C-alpha cells in the first residue's frame, strides 16, 4: 500500500513538472508567428501615444 502511494506521488510530481515546463516553453513557439499580413506603413516601430481627450 505504501509503495502504491509513493508511485502515485511520483507520478503527480512528474505531471506537475511537465505542466510547468510546458507553460515555460510553449510561449516561445507560439509567439513567433503572431501576424502574417503585410507590414504597416503607418507604424515605424515606435510607441504610439493614444490621446483620450481627458484633461489632468
Amino acid at each position: 500500500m505504501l509503495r502504491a502511494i509513493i508511485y502515485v506521488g511520483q507520478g503527480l510530481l512528474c505531471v506537475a513538472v511537465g505542466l510547468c515546463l510546458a507553460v515555460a516553453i510553449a510561449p516561445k513557439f507560439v509567439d513567433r508567428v503572431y501576424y502574417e499580413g503585410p507590414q504597416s506603413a503607418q507604424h515605424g516601430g515606435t510607441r504610439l501615444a493614444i490621446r483620450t481627450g481627458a484633461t489632468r
Side-chain angles (χ1 to χ4, degrees), residues 3-19:
R3 184 175 286 181
I5 293 173
I6 291 173
Y7 286 144
V8 169
Q10 287 177 346
L12 290 174
L13 180 63
C14 289
V15 168
V17 169
L19 287 174

Side-chain angles (χ1 to χ4, degrees), residues 19-32:
L19 287 174
C20 289
L21 287 174
V23 169
I25 293 172
K28 292 181 182 179
F29 296 108
V30 175
D31 287 343
R32 283 190 188 159

Side-chain angles (χ1 to χ4, degrees), residues 34 38-50:
Y34 63 95
Q39 190 175 17
S40 174
Q42 297 178 359
H43 187 287
T46 59
R47 292 185 177 215
L48 301 175
I50 299 174

